[in-house]
Amino acid sequence: MNADSNGSKPKPGEKNARVATSDDIEVGTYLEIAQRQPPKGQHENVPLRTETIIILDFGSQYSRLIARRIRETNVYCEIIPWDAPPDVLSEQDVKGIVLSGGPNSVYETGAPLAPAWVFDAGVPILGICYGMQLLAHQLGGKVEPGLHREYGHAVIHKDGQNIQLLEGLDGDVPVWMSHGDRIEELPQGFRSMAYSDNSPVAVMGSDEQRIFGIQFHPEVAHTPQGAEILRNFTHRICGAAGTWTPANFVTDAIRRVQEQVGEGRVICALSGGVDSTVAAAIIHRAIGDRLTCIFVDNGLLRRGEAERVRTVFARDLGVNLIFEDATERFLSTLKGVTDPELKRKRIGEEFIRVFEETATRLGQVDYLAQGTLYPDVIESTSSETSAAHKIKTHHNVGGLPEHMNLTLVEPLRYMFKDEVRRAGRQLGVSEQAVNRQPFPGPGLAIRIIGEVTFAKLETLRAADWIVIDEIKAAGLYEKLWQSFAVLTDTQTVGVMGDRRTYQYVVAIRAVQSQDAMTADWARLPYDTLARISNRIVNEVPEVNRVVLDITSKPPGTIEWE
């Protein structure tokens, strides 16, 4: 079995199913896809002739991380399925191609192979793990099961001189291995450039053909000099200039919006999150007052949230903003509802109704702005089927009236979250807005276990305010993916003064993550936890006990419901 395996190997053609959870959704995304007119292809609206590194995805769990690391070298890159057609070669200035890892073994019947156009493109190629074995296998070498699997820390030793890929690295390089196969015979014209105790060929290459392979993962933190290896590939070998910078991708995004929208009008459903904020800022910079933002206060927001959004957009950014206070409507539709999925459904349906009523008052509108990020696009496209685009199911609200046939504007479609934050700073968006932690679409409704009432919302708002206040005071806010309070439906006995109490239990949830796909519970300092607990019990009368959630994702989710 090859790299990136978690115990079961998907066969070529199988889809990697994923259930979307509330962890992925920010307020407002229930309506951030309308009756869409799908893009013609994966690469529509990408600025033409951008210097690009293409990553062919063979099912690796690390493909997205490879892309992030390459973007960090200031070179634009995209992930496409391994069986994608060569259209991207004509759409962009492709400087190099990366073949990702994957769970298969190249010698197995039906194992996915690199298409012929990869080798005909005439650009440098880097194979990582399974990608390296593909190169050896398809170019006439020999790959066989290793006598010993190699997982975890290892040290590779340079084998020779003048190795561009390893330029500037020490003779012995710590790396992270994850493979069970190894190369027994090199293809013609290739040489070993590094080896490890278990891999006689840990790095191979042909300087003449500009094709290289590495048996380890340079993209993970466990390979300390991995970023330098990728930079050597993108800059030294591929000759990329490194122009993918915040200023450039903001300029490109503004130009794309102008070209797409023309003289049309755009509406944007605001959440107040970083994605919708930066998307609105880009569109406003592109078309000015022909953008109207709609913010629906569903009564399920955190303390001061609605006013903060109004301040950021109306005052700081000068955007046309329509504010709809629909608190009573949402509380009414949630009355008596305890099932988490029914909560989400009720909130989504009510949001659509409120948004439609508001939008119809504006007259003719042509486009709906959405804060789709590149991870959304990646997850929506199977890595082992065709390159056809599919939107993540949790974005597709459905049920919109047919007369609201709006075309999507997605200025962030090819950005990662960290790039969105940098774009926001480039646009002058406040640090508070840029660094805001993700907030679930259903809001506090899914952080209240059981029925949602105004009284419970006020209790949770007070507790959550204390959590965030103390997290920020400890200088931890920007180091955490999310941190918040959950109001459980459990009540316990306590003693306050000389009186017996029977009040609610609040749970504290704080996690660290890169993209919410996985998360680890944050090891908060005891002093911070003590202050949070003491303040909640003393300042929130309805609570007499505080507990800490120390569950990672998986097996848990970030949110409780």
Side-chain angles (χ1 to χ4, degrees), residues 324-352:
E324 288 290 334
D325 186 351
T327 299
E328 293 300 324
R329 292 179 59 166
F330 280 89
L331 286 176
S332 176
T333 197
L334 289 171
K335 187 176 178 59
V337 178
T338 59
D339 179 76
E341 290 305 315
L342 185 55
K343 285 182 186 178
R344 293 187 183 93
K345 183 178 179 181
R346 291 279 184 91
I347 293 167
E349 289 173 347
E350 191 63 29
F351 190 96
I352 290 168

Side-chain angles (χ1 to χ4, degrees), residues 132-352:
M132 172 179 172
Q133 295 159 15
L134 275 181
L135 292 174
H137 178 71
Q138 293 187 242
L139 296 175
K142 188 175 183 180
V143 179
E144 291 186 349
L147 297 176
H148 304 283
R149 295 181 177 183
E150 197 170 21
Y151 294 102
H153 291 284
V155 176
I156 65 169
H157 314 282
K158 285 186 181 179
D159 190 4
Q161 302 297 319
N162 300 320
I163 303 171
Q164 274 191 302
L165 192 63
L166 305 179
E167 185 74 28
L169 275 66
D170 301 330
D172 299 330
V173 183
V175 300
W176 183 262
M177 292 284 192
S178 179
H179 67 99
D181 297 333
R182 71 184 204 176
I183 295 170
E184 295 295 338
E185 294 181 14
L186 289 167
Q188 186 174 356
F190 281 71
R191 66 183 175 103
S192 173
M193 295 179 168
Y195 61 91
S196 71
D197 292 343
N198 191 54
S199 296
V201 182
V203 179
M204 72 173 193
S206 168
D207 295 314
E208 182 179 351
Q209 300 177 64
R210 297 193 299 168
I211 299 177
F212 304 87
I214 53 180
Q215 188 60 78
F216 55 90
H217 288 278
E219 69 276 11
V220 300
H222 302 299
T223 301
Q225 295 179 288
E228 296 172 51
I229 295 171
L230 292 174
R231 178 174 289 275
N232 282 339
F233 178 70
T234 58
H235 288 68
R236 292 179 182 273
I237 295 172
C238 298
T243 57
W244 182 250
T245 63
N248 284 342
F249 56 66
V250 165
T251 300
D252 286 338
I254 291 171
R255 188 182 72 243
R256 292 200 309 271
V257 170
Q258 291 170 336
E259 291 174 352
Q260 180 185 4
V261 172
E263 296 300 316
R265 296 180 64 193
V266 180
I267 55 173
C268 175
L270 281 184
S271 71
V274 62
D275 300 341
S276 65
T277 298
V278 175
I282 287 174
I283 296 169
H284 183 250
R285 185 74 64 87
I287 65 171
D289 289 344
R290 285 184 286 118
L291 166 69
T292 299
C293 293
I294 299 174
F295 180 77
V296 176
D297 183 356
N298 56 15
L300 307 173
L301 304 178
R302 291 172 292 194
R303 181 183 289 181
E305 190 84 358
E307 188 55 40
R308 187 190 65 80
V309 172
R310 296 178 78 162
T311 299
V312 168
F313 284 89
R315 189 191 70 187
D316 296 349
L317 298 180
V319 175
N320 290 332
L321 177 66
I322 296 177
F323 184 89
E324 288 290 334
D325 186 351
T327 299
E328 293 300 324
R329 292 179 59 166
F330 280 89
L331 286 176
S332 176
T333 197
L334 289 171
K335 187 176 178 59
V337 178
T338 59
D339 179 76
E341 290 305 315
L342 185 55
K343 285 182 186 178
R344 293 187 183 93
K345 183 178 179 181
R346 291 279 184 91
I347 293 167
E349 289 173 347
E350 191 63 29
F351 190 96
I352 290 168

